Amino acid sequence: MADTTSSFNQATGKTDADEAKRRVKSMMREKQVFEDKAAEYRGNLHSQQTHEQLDLGRKHDAQSSKLDKKLHDAYGANKAKDQEALQALKDKRKTTRPTQEDRDRAEALQRNLDSIKQRETEQRDALKTRQEAERKKLAEQHDKQNKGAERTISAAYQDRQSKGWKPEPVNFQKFENATNEKISFQKPARTVSEGSESSQGTQTTSDSLTSSPQPYLAPKGARTGNLHPPKEKTEGQTVGGKGSGKGNGMGM
C-alpha cells in the first residue's frame, strides 16, 4: 500500500504532509498578525478616549477657575469687610459688655456673610452638576465605542476564519460600517477650550457660566458701615429697643 502522507505534489515540489504543515504555520502566523492588529486597534481607541478625558478635565478646571474669580470679584471685598467688622465686635465683647446696637450689627453682619456663602455654594453646585453630566455623557460614549470596537473585531475575525485565514491585510474599517460603529483614530488637534465641544465627537454642553445665577448681595443695610437695624419693632424686642439678643452667633 502506498504511503499517502508522503505523496509528492508536482506543482509545489512538496509532499502533502509538508503542505499541511505550511498551511498550519501560515494560519497561525495570520492569526497572530490579526491579534496584534486588534490590540493596536483597541490601543488607538483607548488613546483617543484618554485625550478626550484630559481635554474635558482641562475644560472643567478652566471653568472652576473662572467661577472662583467671578465670585471673588462679586463678593470678596464685602465679605472681607464684614468678617473684619464681626471679628472686631467679638474682640470688643471680651472687654466691654455689648450694647443692643452691637448685637444688632453683629446679627446683620452674620446674615450678610451667610447670604454670600449661600450664593457661592449655589453657583459652585450648579457648575459641579453640569460638569458631572458631561463626564457621565463622555463615559457612556466611550462605553458604546468600546463595545462597538469589540463587535468590529469579532466580525473581522469571523470573516478571516471563514476564508481559512488566507494571507491578506487586516482592515477593521470595512467592518465598522457593518456594525454601525465607525471610529476615527485621530488625536485632537488642540485642547478643548471652555464652552467648546470635544474635537473627537465628545458632545459637551457649553458652560460659559453666562447661565449661572448672577451674584447677589445681602441688602445694603447689612453692609459694613450702614448696619443700623430698622426702626420697626421685631419679634422678641420690647419697647425701648431692648431684645433678647439670641441667635447672633456671638453669644451676646
Side-chain angles (χ1 to χ4, degrees), residues 151-171:
R151 286 194 295 268
T152 294
I153 293 172
S154 178
Y157 183 93
Q158 293 173 13
D159 178 73
R160 295 296 298 278
Q161 189 173 44
S162 67
K163 296 177 181 178
W165 292 98
K166 295 180 180 179
E168 65 177 63
V170 179
N171 183 9

Side-chain angles (χ1 to χ4, degrees), residues 6 21 30 91-92 122 155 176 184 186-187 229-230 242 249:
S6 60
K21 291 178 180 179
E30 288 300 313
D91 293 340
K92 180 181 177 182
E122 287 172 354
E176 289 176 349
S184 174
Q186 181 178 357
K187 182 179 178 180
K242 296 181 179 180

Side-chain angles (χ1 to χ4, degrees), residues 116-170:
I116 290 174
K117 183 178 180 180
Q118 179 182 351
R119 299 306 182 272
E120 290 178 333
T121 299
E122 287 172 354
Q123 294 190 51
R124 287 196 171 98
D125 287 348
L127 178 60
K128 288 179 182 178
T129 298
R130 293 196 301 274
Q131 291 177 342
E132 180 59 32
E134 287 187 347
R135 284 190 291 269
K136 181 179 179 181
K137 185 174 182 179
L138 183 60
E140 290 173 348
Q141 177 179 310
H142 287 174
D143 182 63
K144 182 179 178 181
Q145 288 176 341
N146 291 334
K147 291 177 179 177
E150 292 307 315
R151 286 194 295 268
T152 294
I153 293 172
S154 178
Y157 183 93
Q158 293 173 13
D159 178 73
R160 295 296 298 278
Q161 189 173 44
S162 67
K163 296 177 181 178
W165 292 98
K166 295 180 180 179
E168 65 177 63
V170 179

Side-chain angles (χ1 to χ4, degrees), residues 164-232:
W165 292 98
K166 295 180 180 179
E168 65 177 63
V170 179
N171 183 9
F172 292 112
Q173 281 67 38
K174 69 178 182 179
F175 296 98
E176 289 176 349
N177 292 330
T179 57
N180 296 321
E181 295 293 344
K182 187 168 181 59
I183 302 172
S184 174
F185 300 117
Q186 181 178 357
K187 182 179 178 180
R190 61 183 178 82
T191 301
V192 176
S193 60
E194 180 181 356
S196 67
E197 295 181 351
S198 169
S199 57
Q200 289 299 323
T202 306
Q203 300 298 324
T204 54
T205 306
S206 176
D207 290 318
S208 61
L209 299 178
T210 55
S211 61
S212 300
Q214 293 300 314
Y216 173 83
L217 293 176
K220 293 182 178 180
R223 295 180 180 175
T224 305
N226 185 21
L227 295 169
H228 296 293
K231 295 181 180 180
E232 293 80 6

Side-chain angles (χ1 to χ4, degrees), residues 75-114:
Y75 303 128
N78 287 328
K79 184 163 62 173
K81 290 179 181 179
D82 290 350
Q83 289 173 337
E84 183 179 356
L86 186 59
Q87 185 61 48
L89 289 173
K90 291 180 179 181
D91 293 340
K92 180 181 177 182
R93 178 180 176 275
K94 297 177 182 179
T95 58
T96 306
R97 183 175 181 179
T99 64
Q100 183 60 43
E101 182 178 359
D102 289 339
R103 294 191 184 96
D104 293 338
R105 188 167 184 238
E107 289 177 354
L109 285 166
Q110 190 61 57
R111 283 196 302 270
N112 197 44
L113 290 171
D114 290 343

